Amino acid sequence: MVSTDGLALAVYSHGDPGAPTVVAVHGYPDDHTVFDGVVEILREHHHVVTYDVRGAGASGTPSGREGYDLERLAEDLRAVVDAVSPDAPVHLLAHDWGAIQTWHAVTAEPGEHQHSGLTGRVASFTSMSGPCLDHVGLFFAGRTGATRREILRQGLDSWYTALFRTPVLPELLWRSGLAGALVSATDGVGRPKLRDAVNGLELYRRNLPARLGDPQPRRTDVPVQVLAPRGDRYVTPAMQTRIAAYAPDLRVRRLPGGHWMVRTRPDVVARCVAELVAHVGGAEPAPALTRARAAARPGAGRWDGALVVVTGAGAGIGRATAAAFARRGARVVVADLDGDAAERTAELIGTATASGGAGRAFPVTVDVADEAAVSRLASDVAAEHGVPDVVVNNAGIGMAGSFADTTLSDWQRIVDVNLWGVIHGCRAFSALMGAHGEGGHIVNVASAAAYLPSRTLAAYATTKSAVLTLSECLRAELADDGIGVTALCPGFVRTDITRTTRFVGRDAGTEKRLQKETTALYARRNYTPERVAEHVVRAVERNAPLAPVTAEAHAGLLASRLSPALLRAIARRDIGPR
Ligand SMILES: NC(=O)c1ccc[n+]([C@@H]2O[C@H](COP(=O)([O-])OP(=O)(O)OC[C@H]3O[C@@H](n4cnc5c(N)ncnc54)[C@H](O)[C@@H]3O)[C@@H](O)[C@H]2O)c1
């Protein structure tokens, strides 16, 4: 088709024109093919339109710099929208400079009612890695609530924009092949086409000085979702997402991945678009979309609307952990072998919620040692509440006594719960999180016993050191999916575990006495599960690989690294109640 100022625009249409129309606008230095993967998926249920923006791909090249003005680009977008969907509003998807120009097209300065003729023509806008340039100006002026650190970080990440505005040098860098080699090496995408790269420099030169010099609080009422890749080298999540004042109907999804996520995870981008299109069309919002809405509210914390699954949450560390996440605004699935205990935890959280707490709790009965039950838990959670942001594999049992006295069935029971329970949880939920592509975190509750040998804890310590090593390996494997893994290693914590710990090789009476004495010992130590729960939250927030909790757990870890021989000597002593 032909633009209003007479340039040829190459427009590509896919799928059934009767289905909801998605118009996708590419960035710099790309052409419409950047959306190929997304189009392949979306075209099944949508009418998808891509086009080469002026100066790129098969579209014409403006004769001068003015031809790259945001107003002109907005007019092109309007012309495409009118041509491909004259009767119904369209859904917009845009990346990088495509998002910059789309933001300009869908927003208006205060007092302006209509802009670019797009009013009423846009049903939703999914923006990736490209902000409104006016909002960028406000961000750097400290007027979006960003911290100084966020502004500094973005300033450093924007180095190339200053380079692109200098004359001649950027052209030389592209023509010499240097810039292309750099982009393809650092971002893992193919080399851009020379014509696209050179022409598009004018986008920076024409628009940055004009918009950043006198930024306006441009606003839109269109439903917006921002997909902010956490590893974007050019556009930080802080600059893209602190915009609720200008786009009140906002959703924010911070995703694992880099600037070209649109190429590397087209499945995730397509799903996010499809979810918003469906919701705007009247469907119930997908859980991840509800979460994205909660995350976009001004003043929203990290855990608002998040989903957390905790096993063994009917008591002790699990109960306190569920409550800690709920207090911060998360929804919590409280799973325990003891269904009544899970109910009580949910009630406690519910009561706290009524008196000003934030999150909500859903109790379920599950035996973590049962693979089928854990698999079912994962699929039920996904169906009812969405894919969790955090899974805490906490359920565990205690066992003490010599190796010689530990029977095969003792071994089987403790390995089933403490190790297989964690393996089942990791298998079921890491698969869900990986396929979902929105990252997440797994906490496996090990113990300081994982690195402290003891002649009386062979079975328990074996399961816990296996959990520690499993967590380290899994962390390495899941890093590329943006899923963190933490091994939590508490020392002595005042919970009911000491009342139920098996003392193998002892008669029932002695076992009772030992349970009582150990409970009294832990009570004197008096380290509460609530304190452990705060460590869990912090470990997730910091993506800690290993989280020792309590002074003895820290000291033991240090000793295991500095002087394993000392620990071996201590391990031979029979300490504790006898
Ligand atoms: N308390 C400590 O001193 C301490 C120290 C280091 C590690 N840990 C570990 O912390 C975790 C939690 O321990 P806690 O002290 O809170 O114990 P706890 O006994 O107070 O609570 C454990 C909860 O797990 C549940 N559970 C047990 N087996 C289960 C199963 N098969 N499926 C589902 N749920 C099951 C129990 O019903 C209980 O509600 C355990 O993995 C434990 O090994 C505890």
Side-chain angles (χ1 to χ4, degrees), residues 76-340:
D76 289 351
L77 175 57
R78 193 211 57 211
V80 172
V81 167
D82 282 348
V84 301
S85 182
D87 303 322
V90 302
H91 301 270
L92 299 172
L93 162 66
H95 177 242
D96 185 87
W97 264 94
I100 293 176
Q101 54 175 286
T102 304
W103 271 107
H104 189 76
V106 301
T107 54
E109 290 185 13
E112 265 182 49
H113 291 301
Q114 181 161 337
H115 189 76
S116 306
L118 272 175
T119 305
R121 304 287 292 120
V122 179
S124 79
F125 172 27
T126 298
S127 168
M128 295 192 71
S129 297
C132 173
L133 277 190
D134 288 77
H135 301 166
V136 171
L138 298 169
F139 173 85
F140 280 116
R143 286 165 57 192
T144 64
T147 63
R148 296 238 296 261
R149 194 194 161 105
E150 287 169 341
I151 295 172
L152 181 67
R153 165 82 205 277
Q154 179 62 58
L156 294 173
D157 285 356
S158 300
W159 60 272
Y160 66 95
T161 60
L163 172 70
F164 283 177
R165 283 158 62 185
T166 61
V168 190
L169 181 61
E171 275 86 348
L172 279 178
L173 286 172
W174 283 119
R175 289 189 199 285
S176 67
L178 266 176
L182 188 72
V183 166
S184 86
T186 53
D187 293 309
V189 290
R191 285 180 189 224
K193 294 192 192 84
L194 186 59
R195 173 176 170 267
D196 299 347
V198 170
N199 283 346
L201 291 167
E202 299 300 342
L203 293 167
Y204 293 84
R205 292 168 177 157
R206 172 72 192 180
N207 297 300
L208 261 51
R211 309 295 334 169
L212 300 187
D214 179 25
Q216 298 301 313
R218 297 177 71 90
R219 232 181 139 275
T220 182
D221 290 325
V222 165
V224 175
Q225 105 175 301
V226 171
L227 308 185
R230 284 186 236 134
D232 195 319
R233 283 169 205 282
Y234 310 105
V235 188
T236 58
M239 184 165 75
Q240 284 196 69
T241 59
R242 290 188 176 277
I243 52 169
Y246 318 118
D249 195 355
L250 179 68
R251 290 139 201 88
V252 167
R253 291 167 135 168
R254 290 180 182 78
L255 303 171
H259 185 72
W260 269 282
M261 218 196 134
V262 63
R263 277 192 198 282
T264 56
R265 285 304 299 261
D267 56 327
V268 176
V269 175
R271 196 196 61 243
C272 291
V273 172
E275 285 178 358
L276 185 58
V277 171
H279 176 48
V280 168
E284 276 292 303
L289 204 58
T290 305
R291 160 105 220 254
R293 183 90 182 96
R297 296 221 164 83
R302 158 106 188 237
W303 299 110
D304 281 302
L307 180 66
V308 179
V309 176
V310 185
T311 67
I317 294 170
R319 170 175 285 176
T321 299
F325 279 110
R327 254 196 323 276
R328 288 166 169 82
R331 297 165 297 140
V332 193
V333 176
V334 175
D336 204 288
L337 179 63
D338 179 345
D340 293 341

Side-chain angles (χ1 to χ4, degrees), residues 229-501:
R230 284 186 236 134
D232 195 319
R233 283 169 205 282
Y234 310 105
V235 188
T236 58
M239 184 165 75
Q240 284 196 69
T241 59
R242 290 188 176 277
I243 52 169
Y246 318 118
D249 195 355
L250 179 68
R251 290 139 201 88
V252 167
R253 291 167 135 168
R254 290 180 182 78
L255 303 171
H259 185 72
W260 269 282
M261 218 196 134
V262 63
R263 277 192 198 282
T264 56
R265 285 304 299 261
D267 56 327
V268 176
V269 175
R271 196 196 61 243
C272 291
V273 172
E275 285 178 358
L276 185 58
V277 171
H279 176 48
V280 168
E284 276 292 303
L289 204 58
T290 305
R291 160 105 220 254
R293 183 90 182 96
R297 296 221 164 83
R302 158 106 188 237
W303 299 110
D304 281 302
L307 180 66
V308 179
V309 176
V310 185
T311 67
I317 294 170
R319 170 175 285 176
T321 299
F325 279 110
R327 254 196 323 276
R328 288 166 169 82
R331 297 165 297 140
V332 193
V333 176
V334 175
D336 204 288
L337 179 63
D338 179 345
D340 293 341
E343 296 266 0
R344 276 197 301 281
T345 299
E347 269 165 34
L348 282 173
I349 290 174
T351 316
T353 305
S355 63
R360 286 195 298 148
F362 311 98
V364 282
T365 308
V366 72
D367 179 357
V368 296
D370 177 349
E371 192 272 331
V374 177
S375 259
R376 216 166 32 245
L377 170 71
S379 47
D380 288 353
V381 166
E384 282 166 40
H385 309 290
V387 175
D389 300 281
V390 177
V391 173
V392 186
N393 290 306
N394 160 79
I397 53 175
M399 190 172 287
S402 71
F403 177 78
D405 287 333
T406 311
T407 65
L408 188 61
S409 72
D410 290 331
W411 272 104
Q412 273 160 348
R413 183 64 196 147
I414 195 163
V415 172
D416 272 352
V417 178
N418 288 13
L419 180 54
W420 277 111
V422 174
I423 295 173
H424 296 328
C426 288
R427 270 170 52 86
F429 285 104
S430 69
L432 266 186
M433 288 173 170
H436 190 57
E438 300 199 25
H441 202 99
I442 296 175
V443 178
N444 293 330
V445 180
S447 162
Y451 44 77
L452 297 176
S454 157
R455 61 184 292 163
T456 56
L457 282 179
Y460 183 77
T462 299
T463 61
K464 293 301 185 181
S465 63
V467 167
L468 173 58
T469 305
L470 164 66
S471 308
E472 293 274 17
C473 295
L474 198 59
R475 181 180 174 90
E477 185 176 328
L478 299 182
D480 288 345
D481 289 330
I483 302 169
V485 180
T486 297
L488 190 89
C489 296
F492 304 117
V493 183
R494 183 176 190 170
T495 68
D496 277 349
I497 198 167
T498 45
R499 285 183 220 282
T500 53
T501 290

